Amino acid sequence: QPSLLPTLMPSSAPSLEPSKAPSDYPTTQPFQAPSMEPSKAPSDEPTNRPTKSIKPSPSPSAAPIAPTATPTAATPAPTTSAPTGSPSLTCNDSALRLKIPTVGKPKPYVSRYCSWVASKDTKNRCALPGVSASCPITCESCPTCEDPEDAMRFKFEYNGKEIVRNCDFIGRLPEKVAGRCAASEDICRATCGAC
């Protein structure tokens, strides 16, 4: 039961429960210890003296690092020699959609990207016809310079149309090999001279 008149002297400890209604006037001095519960609403103005936390830090702070007595010398940049010979060709997984032949499945092909090969069961997926040559980074077959098997087909844009072809098509007409290699992103590494 609350008293009818306010006390003349404030209590020395906070009450355990918040007041039912806010006071008409703010206190002139903040209490020295933090309250046990957070405020219901944020303050209008920030405080100049924040309270100390009642909870310990979950992990200790790192010790400050003292500056060194003398500055450290800069490490000189390594020197490189001028390139020699022809540039080395890079080995990349194909970004094309692959039509991987299936055995004993209802569909003769499954359409996938090299990211599918890398995502799960990579060793077995790399063993599928043409996959190792199409995804040499994923299948760790960069040293082997070969085209995907003819059963492997891939989708690419050629002469303004999306087509699905194999490496036999890429190398069939010698005068068109360079253009077809560029359009198919050199997926036929041996035919395109990209390894």
Side-chain angles (χ1 to χ4, degrees):
Q1 180 90 327
S3 58
L4 297 174
L5 296 173
T7 57
L8 297 176
M9 294 291 294
S11 59
S12 60
S15 58
L16 296 176
E17 293 185 21
S19 306
K20 299 287 182 215
S23 57
D24 293 331
Y25 303 103
T27 57
T28 56
Q29 289 290 321
F31 194 73
Q32 295 302 317
S35 58
M36 299 302 279
E37 295 199 16
S39 306
K40 299 284 187 226
S43 308
D44 290 333
E45 294 182 30
T47 180
N48 291 333
R49 295 185 333 176
T51 57
K52 293 179 183 168
S53 174
I54 58 171
K55 295 180 182 178
S57 172
S59 59
S61 302
I65 299 171
T68 57
T70 58
T72 345
T75 306
T79 57
T80 57
S81 58
T84 57
S86 60
S88 62
L89 299 169
T90 58
C91 178
N92 295 312
D93 282 353
S94 175
L96 302 177
R97 185 130 176 113
L98 308 172
K99 304 280 266 177
I100 303 168
T102 59
V103 179
K105 303 282 182 183
K107 292 183 179 180
Y109 292 94
V110 61
S111 291
R112 298 288 189 264
Y113 291 97
C114 288
S115 58
W116 172 79
V117 176
S119 70
K120 174 173 124 178
D121 200 18
T122 303
K123 185 177 180 181
N124 287 327
R125 289 176 177 179
C126 285
L128 295 171
V131 171
S132 180
S134 301
C135 310
I137 297 278
T138 297
C139 297
E140 299 176 354
S141 61
C142 284
T144 307
C145 184
E146 64 183 8
D147 290 345
E149 297 173 27
D150 282 339
M152 166 69 77
R153 298 166 67 81
F154 38 89
K155 184 188 266 188
F156 62 101
E157 192 171 310
Y158 184 65
N159 289 337
K161 295 180 186 172
E162 268 202 350
I163 60 172
V164 177
R165 297 291 188 272
N166 61 13
C167 288
D168 179 58
F169 169 81
I170 301 296
R172 189 176 303 147
L173 300 172
E175 68 277 8
K176 293 191 175 188
V177 169
R180 290 176 177 179
C181 284
S184 66
E185 301 174 8
D186 293 331
I187 189 171
C188 305
R189 293 170 56 219
T191 297
C192 297
C195 52

PDB file of all heavy atoms in Angstrom, residues 24 29 40 42 55 74 95 113 127 163 184 188:
ATOM      1  N   ASP A  24       6.327  13.195 -11.586  1.00  0.00           N
ATOM      2  CA  ASP A  24       6.071  14.444 -12.303  1.00  0.00           C
ATOM      3  C   ASP A  24       7.361  15.183 -12.622  1.00  0.00           C
ATOM      4  O   ASP A  24       7.448  15.910 -13.614  1.00  0.00           O
ATOM      5  CB  ASP A  24       5.146  15.356 -11.475  1.00  0.00           C
ATOM      6  CG  ASP A  24       3.750  14.748 -11.345  1.00  0.00           C
ATOM      7  OD1 ASP A  24       3.348  14.009 -12.267  1.00  0.00           O
ATOM      8  OD2 ASP A  24       3.092  15.012 -10.336  1.00  0.00           O
ATOM      9  N   GLN A  29      19.673  14.051  -9.138  1.00  0.00           N
ATOM     10  CA  GLN A  29      20.910  13.267  -9.162  1.00  0.00           C
ATOM     11  C   GLN A  29      20.583  11.828  -9.588  1.00  0.00           C
ATOM     12  O   GLN A  29      19.663  11.231  -9.045  1.00  0.00           O
ATOM     13  CB  GLN A  29      21.546  13.229  -7.762  1.00  0.00           C
ATOM     14  CG  GLN A  29      22.135  14.532  -7.306  1.00  0.00           C
ATOM     15  CD  GLN A  29      23.386  14.861  -8.100  1.00  0.00           C
ATOM     16  OE1 GLN A  29      24.181  14.008  -8.412  1.00  0.00           O
ATOM     17  NE2 GLN A  29      23.540  16.137  -8.444  1.00  0.00           N
ATOM     18  N   LYS A  40      11.766   1.136 -19.964  1.00  0.00           N
ATOM     19  CA  LYS A  40      10.693   0.760 -20.896  1.00  0.00           C
ATOM     20  C   LYS A  40      10.824   1.543 -22.208  1.00  0.00           C
ATOM     21  O   LYS A  40      10.500   1.046 -23.259  1.00  0.00           O
ATOM     22  CB  LYS A  40       9.318   1.029 -20.274  1.00  0.00           C
ATOM     23  CG  LYS A  40       9.065   0.244 -18.997  1.00  0.00           C
ATOM     24  CD  LYS A  40       8.753  -1.189 -19.324  1.00  0.00           C
ATOM     25  CE  LYS A  40       8.342  -1.920 -18.049  1.00  0.00           C
ATOM     26  NZ  LYS A  40       8.961  -3.183 -17.872  1.00  0.00           N
ATOM     27  N   PRO A  42      13.394   4.592 -24.406  1.00  0.00           N
ATOM     28  CA  PRO A  42      14.707   5.244 -24.381  1.00  0.00           C
ATOM     29  C   PRO A  42      14.608   6.683 -23.870  1.00  0.00           C
ATOM     30  O   PRO A  42      13.559   7.303 -23.932  1.00  0.00           O
ATOM     31  CB  PRO A  42      15.140   5.216 -25.845  1.00  0.00           C
ATOM     32  CG  PRO A  42      13.886   5.057 -26.624  1.00  0.00           C
ATOM     33  CD  PRO A  42      12.917   4.322 -25.745  1.00  0.00           C
ATOM     34  N   LYS A  55      26.504  -6.701 -15.536  1.00  0.00           N
ATOM     35  CA  LYS A  55      26.876  -8.026 -16.023  1.00  0.00           C
ATOM     36  C   LYS A  55      28.353  -8.014 -16.384  1.00  0.00           C
ATOM     37  O   LYS A  55      28.842  -7.077 -16.986  1.00  0.00           O
ATOM     38  CB  LYS A  55      26.074  -8.384 -17.271  1.00  0.00           C
ATOM     39  CG  LYS A  55      24.598  -8.526 -17.005  1.00  0.00           C
ATOM     40  CD  LYS A  55      23.876  -8.879 -18.287  1.00  0.00           C
ATOM     41  CE  LYS A  55      22.390  -8.966 -18.027  1.00  0.00           C
ATOM     42  NZ  LYS A  55      21.650  -9.253 -19.238  1.00  0.00           N
ATOM     43  N   ALA A  74      60.539  -1.097 -44.031  1.00  0.00           N
ATOM     44  CA  ALA A  74      59.594  -1.679 -44.985  1.00  0.00           C
ATOM     45  C   ALA A  74      60.277  -2.811 -45.727  1.00  0.00           C
ATOM     46  O   ALA A  74      61.460  -2.750 -46.040  1.00  0.00           O
ATOM     47  CB  ALA A  74      59.126  -0.617 -45.964  1.00  0.00           C
ATOM     48  N   ALA A  95      31.920 -23.183 -67.958  1.00  0.00           N
ATOM     49  CA  ALA A  95      30.764 -22.484 -67.410  1.00  0.00           C
ATOM     50  C   ALA A  95      29.490 -22.857 -68.172  1.00  0.00           C
ATOM     51  O   ALA A  95      28.407 -22.389 -67.842  1.00  0.00           O
ATOM     52  CB  ALA A  95      30.988 -20.978 -67.466  1.00  0.00           C
ATOM     53  N   TYR A 113      25.786 -28.276 -64.409  1.00  0.00           N
ATOM     54  CA  TYR A 113      26.988 -27.444 -64.510  1.00  0.00           C
ATOM     55  C   TYR A 113      28.108 -28.108 -63.704  1.00  0.00           C
ATOM     56  O   TYR A 113      27.854 -29.001 -62.878  1.00  0.00           O
ATOM     57  CB  TYR A 113      26.731 -26.048 -63.936  1.00  0.00           C
ATOM     58  CG  TYR A 113      25.780 -25.210 -64.757  1.00  0.00           C
ATOM     59  CD1 TYR A 113      24.436 -25.125 -64.431  1.00  0.00           C
ATOM     60  CD2 TYR A 113      26.238 -24.497 -65.860  1.00  0.00           C
ATOM     61  CE1 TYR A 113      23.561 -24.352 -65.180  1.00  0.00           C
ATOM     62  CE2 TYR A 113      25.372 -23.722 -66.624  1.00  0.00           C
ATOM     63  CZ  TYR A 113      24.036 -23.658 -66.279  1.00  0.00           C
ATOM     64  OH  TYR A 113      23.183 -22.896 -67.032  1.00  0.00           O
ATOM     65  N   ALA A 127      33.686 -39.345 -62.860  1.00  0.00           N
ATOM     66  CA  ALA A 127      33.837 -40.576 -63.640  1.00  0.00           C
ATOM     67  C   ALA A 127      32.772 -40.714 -64.731  1.00  0.00           C
ATOM     68  O   ALA A 127      32.891 -41.582 -65.600  1.00  0.00           O
ATOM     69  CB  ALA A 127      33.798 -41.789 -62.710  1.00  0.00           C
ATOM     70  N   ILE A 163      22.626 -23.483 -79.060  1.00  0.00           N
ATOM     71  CA  ILE A 163      22.669 -24.822 -79.644  1.00  0.00           C
ATOM     72  C   ILE A 163      23.292 -25.795 -78.649  1.00  0.00           C
ATOM     73  O   ILE A 163      23.985 -25.400 -77.710  1.00  0.00           O
ATOM     74  CB  ILE A 163      23.457 -24.837 -80.982  1.00  0.00           C
ATOM     75  CG1 ILE A 163      24.908 -24.381 -80.778  1.00  0.00           C
ATOM     76  CG2 ILE A 163      22.758 -23.966 -82.022  1.00  0.00           C
ATOM     77  CD1 ILE A 163      25.776 -24.552 -82.027  1.00  0.00           C
ATOM     78  N   SER A 184      32.238 -21.709 -77.655  1.00  0.00           N
ATOM     79  CA  SER A 184      32.044 -22.769 -76.650  1.00  0.00           C
ATOM     80  C   SER A 184      33.032 -22.651 -75.491  1.00  0.00           C
ATOM     81  O   SER A 184      33.178 -23.577 -74.693  1.00  0.00           O
ATOM     82  CB  SER A 184      32.177 -24.145 -77.304  1.00  0.00           C
ATOM     83  OG  SER A 184      33.505 -24.350 -77.766  1.00  0.00           O
ATOM     84  N   CYS A 188      36.427 -27.872 -75.548  1.00  0.00           N
ATOM     85  CA  CYS A 188      37.155 -28.944 -76.218  1.00  0.00           C
ATOM     86  C   CYS A 188      38.628 -28.556 -76.213  1.00  0.00           C
ATOM     87  O   CYS A 188      39.186 -28.080 -77.208  1.00  0.00           O
ATOM     88  CB  CYS A 188      36.613 -29.126 -77.638  1.00  0.00           C
ATOM     89  SG  CYS A 188      34.833 -29.417 -77.680  1.00  0.00           S
TER      90      CYS A 188
END
